Amino acid sequence: QVQLVESGGGLVQPGGSLRLSCAASGSIFSIYDMGWYRQAPGKQRELVAAITTGGSTNYVDSVKGRFTISRDNAKNTVYLQMNSLKPEDTAVYYCNANRIRPISGRYDYWGQGTQVTVSS
């Protein structure tokens, strides 16, 4: 198993920036695909950004050009740099680690979440 701890959330004005961090422990970090999800009040959890073990990235359309996901395998950490924040970005952000294993299939691990509030 892998344990994930998010940090970096908080209150920011529209147009501002935040950098979320997710520190992993308990397993070999480099073998996991990583992602950031978010869940706003009354909304379903959505995948915001993902990065594979090989460094390929994907983003939900609403954050393209504003958010950047990255990983530092030496530090067992994944980041989400969020720029030009909008009120619609307000949500609890969750770090995710996942991998596909033979026979048993996909495994997902989650952090506790960190609140991001974008408001004037």
Side-chain angles (χ1 to χ4, degrees):
Q1 295 188 173
V2 60
Q3 293 79 47
L4 305 171
V5 179
E6 302 100 330
S7 62
L11 175 65
V12 65
Q13 294 183 338
S17 298
L18 285 173
R19 189 181 74 162
L20 305 183
S21 298
C22 174
S25 63
S27 191
I28 304 173
F29 178 76
S30 61
I31 69 174
Y32 292 92
D33 291 339
M34 303 295 298
W36 286 97
Y37 290 73
R38 67 186 180 188
Q39 187 164 21
K43 300 293 184 180
Q44 194 170 28
R45 182 180 60 187
E46 68 171 346
L47 176 63
V48 178
I51 185 166
T52 68
T53 57
S56 297
T57 60
N58 280 292
Y59 302 90
V60 68
D61 286 344
S62 61
V63 309
K64 288 181 179 177
R66 300 189 297 119
F67 290 11
T68 303
I69 188 171
S70 61
R71 66 191 296 162
D72 187 337
N73 289 343
K75 296 182 177 180
N76 290 350
T77 302
V78 63
Y79 305 95
L80 185 67
Q81 179 66 47
M82 304 185 293
N83 299 325
S84 302
L85 282 162
K86 304 175 180 179
E88 309 92 87
D89 297 318
T90 296
V92 177
Y93 284 71
Y94 297 92
C95 183
N96 167 266
N98 71 89
R99 63 173 178 146
I100 304 297
R101 299 182 64 188
I103 302 175
S104 52
R106 176 167 172 150
Y107 285 74
D108 285 274
Y109 303 92
W110 298 92
Q112 81 287 347
T114 185
Q115 177 71 49
V116 172
T117 302
V118 185
S119 177
S120 59

